[in-house]
Amino acid sequence: MEVLFERVAGLDIGKESLTVCMRIPGPGGRRVSETRTVKTTTRALGVMRNWLDEHGVTIAAMESTSTYWKAPFYCLEEVMEVWLLNAAHMKAVPGRKTDVKDAEWIAQLLEHGLLRPSFVPPPGIRR
């Protein structure tokens, strides 16, 4: 399957922590994945944003079943395109039962262009 986005991140967000999977090009045309779990504090989100930015990630997609998506979304939108996904659509896919697997699955679907973002008003309207 064709890769549409070369440097992506998939996030599965919870109340106190989130799991992020970064997928980027590796040696020999392979895809390299790295997954981290970070707290949802402002400082930890900034460290995560810097980590993704240093690796050239240009787009991130996230799943959250509550309003916990807001802080990571607002943090990341400063440096990359960010998509909020409909959690009901993601939960319909069988076989993904852990945060790590969810984050990896989101990243893989995103890199192949198989996701659709939900509407999030731009910052000016949110203010």
Side-chain angles (χ1 to χ4, degrees):
M1 199 177 286
E2 181 183 356
V3 173
L4 297 181
F5 301 106
E6 275 199 349
R7 296 177 176 272
V8 303
L11 291 84
D12 186 62
I13 301 170
K15 181 178 182 178
E16 296 180 9
S17 67
L18 63 85
T19 303
V20 57
C21 176
M22 172 181 64
R23 290 185 51 87
I24 58 175
R30 299 181 93 130
R31 304 289 293 161
V32 175
S33 294
E34 187 176 340
T35 303
R36 293 184 179 181
T37 299
V38 299
K39 295 201 176 285
T40 54
T41 63
T42 302
R43 178 174 291 169
L45 292 175
V47 170
M48 176 201 59
R49 177 189 61 212
N50 293 342
W51 172 63
L52 295 174
D53 196 35
E54 287 169 4
H55 285 87
V57 173
T58 58
I59 185 168
M62 59 182 61
E63 171 195 16
S64 178
T65 54
S66 185
T67 59
Y68 306 132
W69 61 271
K70 290 182 179 183
F73 187 98
Y74 299 162
C75 179
L76 291 176
E77 76 176 341
E78 296 173 359
V79 295
M80 67 186 68
E81 185 174 354
V82 186
W83 290 2
L84 176 64
L85 306 174
N86 184 323
H89 294 164
M90 295 304 301
K91 293 298 181 198
V93 179
R96 310 291 187 253
K97 300 297 180 204
T98 67
D99 293 343
V100 171
K101 286 185 179 181
D102 278 349
E104 290 172 351
W105 184 239
I106 291 167
Q108 289 172 3
L109 292 174
L110 177 61
E111 73 186 0
H112 295 295
L114 297 174
L115 297 174
R116 249 188 358 209
S118 296
F119 173 73
V120 176
I125 293 174
R126 291 194 309 251
R127 276 187 232 113

